[in-house]
Amino acid sequence: MNSRTVANIKYIDPSELFSWMKDGVATPFQVVDVRGPDYVGGHIKGGWNYPFEEFQEKLPELMKRLNDEREETGSTLLNVIFHCAQSLERGPTAAMKFLKTLPEDELEHFKIYVLRGGFIHWQRLYGEDNTVTEDYRPDLWS
């Protein structure tokens, strides 16, 4: 199987990510939010913001941080969840750019996901839950 195809990028439902955050998961994970100006109004707790407009130039920094995170947890695998507002364009495109940029010897260390429905769907379900959402401003989403 070609490990650099869109088939290697899976979708994760907000409910599953919520469960990972609340109940823990065997494989560590990191959320990467690629929203730009629309980042205002809330974000998934613990997520990193890498605006899509700067994503390509910041990709080496992101890869280093993710590798550092993986090593800190002592895990051989890290789940990386990309999202934007709706996860229709920027989130999936960033996930694919990340996949295509990964060195061959690091492919096995990352499982790549896109958050289904993006932050718009997330905030409808969990925006008011400050254990999983930070800096939420419901007035911006109504």
Side-chain angles (χ1 to χ4, degrees):
M1 180 168 112
N2 181 345
S3 54
R4 304 232 184 217
T5 67
V6 72
N8 273 98
I9 298 173
K10 307 294 181 207
Y11 277 80
I12 183 171
D13 288 319
S15 59
E16 187 173 0
L17 177 57
F18 178 82
S19 173
W20 288 5
M21 293 175 81
K22 296 300 263 185
D23 305 328
V25 65
T27 304
F29 66 92
Q30 180 59 56
V31 173
V32 179
D33 185 334
V34 297
R35 291 177 296 153
D38 54 336
Y39 183 74
V40 171
H43 52 271
I44 296 171
K45 192 170 192 165
W48 298 343
N49 184 226
Y50 279 82
F52 188 75
E53 296 74 22
E54 307 164 8
F55 190 77
Q56 193 65 48
E57 70 188 56
K58 300 247 180 177
L59 203 44
E61 173 194 314
L62 174 62
M63 294 182 123
K64 182 184 181 327
R65 278 183 82 187
L66 288 169
N67 270 313
D68 289 350
E69 186 77 11
R70 188 177 55 77
E71 288 173 15
E72 279 178 31
T73 63
S75 179
T76 57
L77 182 66
L78 182 67
N79 292 320
V80 185
I81 302 110
F82 289 90
H83 79 87
C84 56
Q86 295 181 304
S87 290
L88 295 175
E89 292 183 25
R90 295 173 295 175
T93 301
M96 195 65 194
K97 285 182 181 205
F98 176 75
L99 176 65
K100 287 186 172 191
T101 307
L102 268 176
E104 196 66 35
D105 63 339
E106 291 183 22
L107 279 170
E108 66 188 3
H109 298 298
F110 296 96
K111 190 164 184 185
I112 303 168
Y113 294 90
V114 173
L115 180 64
R116 191 178 309 282
F119 189 77
I120 288 176
H121 189 50
W122 177 270
Q123 65 84 26
R124 279 189 204 123
L125 299 170
Y126 309 115
E128 301 282 349
D129 186 340
N130 64 8
T131 65
V132 294
T133 306
E134 295 177 313
D135 301 327
Y136 185 60
R137 294 193 35 213
D139 56 303
L140 293 178
W141 298 99
S142 54

